[in-house]
């Protein structure tokens, strides 16, 4: 028999969320802050949930904060762990105390959540704690989408971009949820545009990667690793799952494009999309331009 709380939760308003993951420095916390502000600007009430027990520099006000349950410093002092071991312990502790997280979420007056996750790569490639936490939320009726941020400057070097592809593919398979890969800090990539061997679409669409291999070092050592990279590239192409969206979190046009992709991935666009008032409906009927239409029209061609 189904748990009564599970049945009760599924009869309520649909719940949606973004799981913001990615390596350190990818801009996850900044993205959470900017995306929350953007969603509120278009009328969607979104709450940010901090799941990073070492996040001392939050740009947003968290509605739920794992640091109220446990911190990395607590784990380091109590068990004599290093920073990485302590971080893994904290997330596994959260998994054990999942009911605490669920109670916190249920107490909030919102049906949309942005989860700011830690940057330790093992947590979304090898360790199962985060995967299990979000699998439980998924079973409880939360419609979730993983938003995986990696820095766009990895495109500048073939070796780094191939490692980025492998990380993204592994993460998609590990998390097992609808997934959107993002090349963050696109403004920096634009500044380095002349250094790219190929145009930006080559990287976002992950086109024929054999051309990337041709850009690599042809020395003896480079040739050895070229064979390894060729094997990785072949695997990525066999799965044919990885592609990227560009993100400049300072631009509303870029946030809009990413929001639209996420809404499709987690089902928000099909279920709980923003209600259209009579003025919006009339504006559409007579062909007037809405704010969203204007923002779409103004998107920088570089980000389109």
């Amino acid at each position: 028999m189904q748990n009564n709380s599970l049945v009760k939760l599924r009869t309520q308003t649909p719940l949606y969320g973004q799981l913001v993951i990615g390596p350190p420095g990818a801009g996850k916390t900044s993205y959470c802050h900017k995306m929350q502000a953007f969603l509120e600007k278009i009328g969607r009430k979104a709450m940010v949930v901090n799941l990073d027990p070492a996040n001392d520099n939050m740009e947003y006000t968290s509605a739920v904060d794992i640091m109220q349950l446990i911190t990395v410093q607590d784990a380091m002092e109590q068990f004599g762990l290093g920073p990485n071991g302590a971080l893994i312990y904290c997330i596994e502790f959260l998994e054990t105390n999942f009911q605490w997280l669920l109670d916190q979420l249920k107490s909030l007056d919102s049906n949309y959540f942005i989860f700011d996750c830690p940057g330790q790569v093992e947590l979304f490639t090898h360790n199962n704690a985060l995967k299990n936490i979000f699998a439980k939320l998924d079973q409880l009726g939360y419609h979730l989408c993983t938003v995986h941020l990696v820095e766009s400057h990895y495109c500048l070097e073939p070796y780094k971009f191939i490692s980025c592809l492998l990380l993204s593919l592994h993460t998609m398979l590990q998390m097992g949820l609808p997934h959107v890969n993002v090349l963050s800090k696109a403004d920096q990539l634009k500044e380095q545009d002349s250094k790219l061997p190929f145009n930006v679409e080559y990287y976002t669409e992950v086109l024929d990667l054999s051309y990337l291999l041709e850009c690599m070092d042809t020395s003896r050592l480079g040739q050895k690793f070229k064979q390894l990279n060729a094997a990785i590239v072949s695997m990525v192409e066999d799965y044919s799952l990885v592609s990227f969206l560009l993100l400049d979190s300072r631009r509303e046009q870029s946030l809009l494009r990413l929001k639209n992709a996420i809404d499709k991935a987690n089902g928000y666009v099909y279920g709980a999309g923003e209600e259209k008032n009579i003025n919006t409906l009339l504006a559409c009927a007579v062909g007037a331009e809405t704010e969203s239409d204007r923002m779409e029209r103004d998107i920088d061609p570089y980000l389109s």
Side-chain angles (χ1 to χ4, degrees), residues 186-249:
D187 54 313
Q188 296 180 12
L189 183 63
K190 189 172 184 179
E191 294 171 1
Q192 302 291 325
D193 188 36
S194 61
K195 298 181 181 180
L196 290 175
F198 310 102
N199 60 29
V200 175
E201 288 74 16
Y202 176 88
Y203 300 94
T204 57
E205 300 301 323
V206 188
L207 301 177
D208 188 348
L209 296 175
S210 62
Y211 292 107
L212 203 62
L213 297 173
E214 296 175 3
C215 297
M216 293 184 172
D217 184 6
T218 56
S219 65
R220 183 177 178 183
L221 182 62
Q223 186 64 32
K224 178 180 178 181
F225 284 102
K226 186 174 181 179
Q227 294 175 7
L228 172 61
N229 284 306
I232 295 173
V233 161
S234 176
M235 179 178 63
V236 170
E237 291 185 326
D238 286 345
Y239 275 97
S240 191
L241 291 175
V242 183
S243 62
F244 297 93
L245 290 176
L246 287 172
L247 171 67
D248 179 352
S249 61

Side-chain angles (χ1 to χ4, degrees), residues 13 31-32 77 87 103 124 143 145 162 171 173-174 190:
T13 304
Y31 165 78
C32 291
E77 293 176 357
L87 184 55
D103 290 341
F124 43 89
H143 303 276
C145 169
I162 288 176
T171 301
L173 298 176
Q174 168 72 5
K190 189 172 184 179

Side-chain angles (χ1 to χ4, degrees), residues 38-109:
F38 177 74
L39 291 177
E40 290 183 349
K41 185 174 182 179
I42 65 173
R44 184 184 308 181
K45 187 175 183 179
M47 300 285 190
V48 181
V49 178
N50 176 44
L51 295 185
D52 184 353
N55 192 352
D56 294 324
N57 298 305
M58 288 180 281
E59 299 178 30
Y60 52 79
T61 300
S62 59
V64 179
D65 188 355
I66 187 178
M67 296 180 73
Q68 295 178 349
L69 177 69
I70 189 171
T71 68
V72 164
Q73 191 64 32
D74 292 337
M76 290 175 64
E77 293 176 357
Q78 186 169 353
F79 302 106
L81 299 171
N84 289 344
L87 184 55
I88 292 175
Y89 176 86
C90 289
I91 299 302
E92 292 178 345
F93 185 78
L94 177 64
E95 180 188 3
T96 302
N97 293 273
F98 173 77
Q99 189 60 45
W100 175 86
L101 175 62
L102 184 60
D103 290 341
Q104 295 288 316
L105 294 175
K106 292 169 67 174
S107 69
L108 300 177
D109 181 24

Side-chain angles (χ1 to χ4, degrees), residues 2 11 28 40 43 56 78 105 137-138 148 152 158 174-175 201 245 254 267:
Q2 284 186 313
T11 61
K28 297 183 297 297
E40 290 183 349
D56 294 324
Q78 186 169 353
L105 294 175
L137 288 176
D138 181 67
H148 184 209
S152 59
Q174 168 72 5
M175 297 302 291
E201 288 74 16
L245 290 176
S254 184

Side-chain angles (χ1 to χ4, degrees), residues 172-186:
M172 295 175 77
L173 298 176
Q174 168 72 5
M175 297 302 291
L177 290 169
H179 195 103
V180 176
N181 289 308
V182 179
L183 291 173
S184 63
K185 305 180 182 179

